[in-house]
Amino acid sequence: MDVEDPARARPAVIVAARQARGLKQAELARRAGISQGFLSKVEADLAPLYGEKLANVAAALDVTPELLCSDAELASATSCLFHRKRNALPVAIATSVHGQTDLIRLQLAILLEDGDLPPLLLGRDEPGDLDSPVDIARRVRLKLGVPAGPIDDIVGLLESAGALVVDVDFGSRHIDAVCQWPEGERPLILLNIEAPPDRQRFTVAHELGHAVMHIATSEDQEQQADEFASEFLLPAADVRGELVGLSLPRLMELRLRWGVSMAALVRRAYDLDLLTAYQYKTLNIDLARAGFKTRSPEGVSMERPRLVGRAIETLREAGLSGLEIADRVGTTPQGLEMIFAGVSI
């Protein structure tokens, strides 16, 4: 067979799918019934993968051979990936997340190719000497037509602004979300379905800050994203008067009103000079003693993305079965539900 045969798998897609599944070369080779040496050559673009071996590798990865042969450009080759993580992110998890992001963007492009997506209202707005993350957050709220006060549904707001937001099971609580915005594409935010609702809302705003402000990585990018998120969710002009005289009961009330964690509210009050360093420390000790540093009380509703579910429903209304929808996206029904957490076909 000619190595230029269109049925030849693309090395970058194989690597992305393997990483997304959390598999090392040796494990994938074993499952596919091929040697690790051969798979290594395939991934290095030194040997072609087609025919029966292609089918076996695809089955081991729970994707279709057609997906592995896709000629779409993988976004990781041209754009940075930003994470909101809790502590040091293990290399294996980071590698898997990068693979998941590539695979999901590739499959979203297929799933949404006939969809009627809203126009993209977001644009780049990098911080500089005259423009702080706070200034940029205020401009984004204005551009998106956000009224004063709390944002009821930040996930719905970003979807209506043309961003792609997807629930994902990262298989780890080390990471809350990732964001990627390649040139000429739409921003993509992947949310860990296991994150608590109030932390998730701040995470979405944090990742929006990355999307809007950051093209390349920088030393202060996380602080800038946090400053953006604080102003976007808790505008100083609206929240300042509510953060006076804070106590645990008052923080519980404000948490429900603003949809963010009590720790975020305490930090916002401190940043707005409404708390002394001693008061800030004391309130954080109170939160820790009450167990609110490690768990979130109920009351804040989890906001779910709707884009993928609507796209699948549209295909169902067009007469496609669950198997046909999954095959179109390049996987099995089980694989589709695993990739897009919370989606059922």
Side-chain angles (χ1 to χ4, degrees), residues 216-289:
T217 57
S218 63
E219 290 185 2
D220 53 358
Q221 65 185 31
E222 296 307 312
Q223 179 182 341
Q224 289 179 344
D226 278 345
E227 291 174 5
F228 175 98
S230 291
E231 179 64 24
F232 193 77
L233 286 175
L234 302 163
D238 302 332
V239 78
R240 183 184 296 274
E242 301 184 29
L243 295 178
V244 177
L246 290 181
S247 62
L248 284 188
R250 178 59 176 160
L251 285 169
M252 289 287 285
E253 295 175 4
L254 292 174
R255 171 183 173 271
L256 296 177
R257 169 166 160 73
W258 290 92
V260 299
S261 69
M262 288 183 278
L265 288 162
V266 171
R267 180 67 198 196
R268 187 60 167 152
Y270 179 68
D271 289 340
L272 293 176
D273 295 323
L274 299 174
L275 293 175
T276 65
Y278 175 77
Q279 290 172 322
Y280 175 68
K281 180 179 179 180
T282 300
L283 278 173
N284 274 295
I285 291 173
D286 291 343
L287 290 177
R289 286 175 175 168

Side-chain angles (χ1 to χ4, degrees), residues 10 51 59 72 92 103 122 127 166 202 210 236 274 277 283 286 291 296 299 302 309 322:
R10 287 188 60 223
L103 196 62
L122 299 168
V166 179
F202 195 92
H210 278 314
L274 299 174
L283 278 173
D286 291 343
S296 296
M302 183 67 81

Side-chain angles (χ1 to χ4, degrees), residues 199-211:
R199 182 174 173 88
Q200 186 208 56
R201 280 172 52 86
F202 195 92
T203 292
V204 174
H206 178 99
E207 296 304 320
L208 173 61
H210 278 314

Side-chain angles (χ1 to χ4, degrees), residues 178-215:
V178 298
C179 173
Q180 182 192 64
W181 191 356
E183 188 68 30
E185 301 287 341
R186 291 172 180 260
L188 170 64
I189 298 175
L190 305 183
L191 302 175
N192 192 341
I193 199 167
E194 294 187 1
D198 47 9
R199 182 174 173 88
Q200 186 208 56
R201 280 172 52 86
F202 195 92
T203 292
V204 174
H206 178 99
E207 296 304 320
L208 173 61
H210 278 314
V212 171
M213 297 188 297
H214 302 137
I215 297 175

